[in-house]
Amino acid sequence: MAVKIKTKNGTIDVSNDVIATVVGSAATDNYGVVGMASKNQIRDNLNEILRKENYSRGVVVRQQDNGVAIDVYIIVGFGTKISEISKNVQSKVKFSLESILGISANSVNVFVQGVKVLND
């Protein structure tokens, strides 16, 4: 599936992989997020073996009538305030989607899948 944007010159199709990559990049850019949790381990493990970057890891994009719904699965650092990190992820993802792709996100659901203890 893809998001179709109609312009006066034609149609623009934005694939879910592009949306997931923008979302993953925006999510990992927040303080306190130490990684993305995998939702498709076979594909993500294959990318690790091939040493390919995978910013779409831990992102699920669902098409809706007037936009998209995003699920983001993250891992946070120990000792950080999870609620604030989650709010920051939601805001940054919505802003990035609108500013980079021109797509509005109806919802950005953040799932904290783990806490990682970081060494100093």
Side-chain angles (χ1 to χ4, degrees), residues 3-4 15 22 24 29 38 46 51 61 66 68-69 84 89 97:
V3 173
K4 294 186 184 228
S15 73
V22 170
D29 198 28
S38 178
L46 183 63
R51 299 185 187 268
V61 179
N66 55 352
V68 293
E84 287 299 317
V89 168
L97 284 175

Side-chain angles (χ1 to χ4, degrees), residues 4-57:
K4 294 186 184 228
I5 303 170
K6 292 185 180 183
T7 66
K8 64 179 182 179
N9 296 325
T11 304
I12 301 170
D13 287 340
V14 181
S15 73
N16 283 350
D17 288 338
V18 172
I19 296 169
T21 300
V22 170
V23 169
S25 176
T28 56
D29 198 28
N30 285 288
Y31 173 79
V33 176
V34 296
M36 302 295 287
S38 178
K39 293 308 297 174
N40 187 348
Q41 291 188 347
I42 294 172
R43 184 181 74 180
D44 292 337
N45 288 339
L46 183 63
N47 284 334
E48 284 183 17
I49 291 170
L50 299 174
R51 299 185 187 268
K52 293 171 67 177
E53 289 187 27
N54 186 7
Y55 289 113
S56 63
R57 176 183 197 166

Side-chain angles (χ1 to χ4, degrees), residues 6 14-15 21 24 35 38 42 44 46 52 65 67 70 73 79 83-84 86-87 89 94-96 100-101 120:
K6 292 185 180 183
V14 181
S15 73
T21 300
S38 178
I42 294 172
D44 292 337
L46 183 63
K52 293 171 67 177
D65 291 339
I70 306 292
Y73 296 84
S83 62
E84 287 299 317
S86 300
K87 288 178 189 174
V89 168
K94 284 190 104 163
F95 175 77
S96 294
I100 295 172
L101 300 175
D120 291 328

